[in-house]
């Protein structure tokens, strides 16, 4: 059985980028519902007792995949944030070097990532992941999917389901995505890359 992760910061900590109201609904209602739904589906199923990532890798399209995928996605999403820093702080070390090698600059990477988030039709997630040789790749995942189904290691994600931003930004998805850089904790992303 799975339980709702505790947020590693206060509900108000991500303001003004993400309001306490949005965070409260997103974590306490949306994510809680995915946890409750999966816990109802697991007993008696072949996925009972499996780790979350294994369930996402193995379950076919359907309710188990959707709820497990959304739990995995949101756990990686909520644990990548920290209180807003003026101007944001980029990564350093191997991750920064790889971004520079592939995109030329942090600004070019951010523009590419935001464009793929804005361009994703409907509900889903935009991800930065690493492949087995350390190369970075941006993917658009629809619905509840996660880059682990492609054999990639997920590093960073923006949730582009409307519930992630509609209370604060209404239809302005691009404005929400460009603001999210201010609250990314790059030490978390770099640790996932190592
Ligand atoms: Mn969400």
């Amino acid at each position: 059985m799975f339980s709702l992760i505790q947020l590693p910061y206060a509900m108000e900590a991500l303001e003004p980028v993400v309001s306490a109201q949005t965070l409260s609904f997103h974590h306490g209602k949306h994510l809680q519902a995915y946890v409750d739904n999966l816990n109802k589906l697991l007993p008696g199923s072949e996925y009972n007792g499996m780790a979350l990532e294994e369930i996402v890798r193995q379950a076919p399209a359907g309710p188990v995949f959707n709820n497990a995928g959304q739990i995995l996605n949101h756990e990686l999403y909520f644990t990548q944030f920290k209180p807003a820093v003026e101007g944001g702080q980029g990564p350093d070390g191997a991750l920064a070097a790889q971004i520079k090698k592939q995109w030329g600059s942090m600004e070019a990477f951010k523009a590419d990532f935001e464009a793929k988030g804005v361009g994703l039709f409907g509900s889903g997630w935009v991800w930065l992941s690493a492949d087995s040789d350390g190369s970075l790749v941006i993917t658009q995942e629809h619905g509840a999917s996660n880059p682990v189904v492609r054999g990639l290691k997920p590093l960073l994600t923006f949730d582009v389901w409307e519930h992630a931003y509609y209370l604060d930004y209404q239809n302005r998805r691009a404005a929400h995505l460009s603001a999210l850089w201010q609250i990314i904790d790059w030490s978390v992303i770099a640790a996932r890359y190592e």
Side-chain angles (χ1 to χ4, degrees):
M1 303 299 267
F2 293 95
S3 53
L4 183 68
I5 58 156
Q6 297 298 305
L7 295 176
Y9 37 73
M11 280 297 166
E12 303 77 21
L14 306 183
E15 292 187 339
V17 176
V18 176
S19 70
Q21 186 188 28
T22 288
L23 189 56
S24 168
F25 275 93
H26 202 174
H27 174 261
K29 302 293 184 190
H30 291 276
L31 179 52
Q32 180 73 63
Y34 297 128
V35 171
D36 293 344
N37 289 339
L38 186 63
N39 284 337
K40 283 181 201 146
L41 292 163
L42 287 179
S45 88
E46 63 193 286
Y47 307 104
N48 207 9
M50 267 188 204
L52 197 55
E53 230 181 89
E54 269 320 293
I55 298 175
V56 175
R57 282 205 191 91
Q58 295 190 23
V64 169
F65 177 85
N66 287 339
N67 287 286
Q70 285 293 71
I71 297 169
L72 180 61
N73 293 338
H74 285 96
E75 288 187 355
L76 290 163
Y77 176 77
F78 285 129
T79 56
Q80 67 183 358
F81 296 133
K82 64 175 186 180
V85 176
E86 192 69 34
Q89 284 179 332
D92 49 22
L95 179 59
Q98 191 65 31
I99 288 173
K100 186 148 194 249
K101 181 180 167 191
Q102 291 186 233
W103 280 273
S105 70
M106 194 62 196
E107 291 65 36
F109 159 73
K110 286 180 176 175
D112 190 10
F113 195 81
E114 287 176 38
K116 289 190 166 79
V118 170
L120 195 158
F121 185 78
S123 296
W125 303 76
V126 58
W127 289 89
L128 176 70
S129 300
D131 71 13
S132 55
D133 72 4
S135 293
L136 298 170
V137 57
I138 299 174
T139 62
Q140 295 170 317
E141 306 294 343
H142 287 93
S145 198
N146 182 288
V148 297
V149 304
R150 306 173 188 265
L152 297 169
K153 180 173 180 50
L155 306 175
L156 163 74
T157 190
F158 286 0
D159 185 345
V160 299
W161 283 62
E162 286 184 346
H163 68 227
Y165 60 88
Y166 215 85
L167 292 173
D168 298 337
Y169 297 82
Q170 296 77 49
N171 62 316
R172 293 174 294 121
R173 184 192 285 187
H176 170 65
L177 299 187
S178 68
L180 279 176
W181 300 115
Q182 297 171 53
I183 55 170
I184 293 297
D185 185 344
W186 283 101
S187 68
V188 171
I189 311 305
R192 292 173 182 171
Y193 183 60
E194 278 161 18

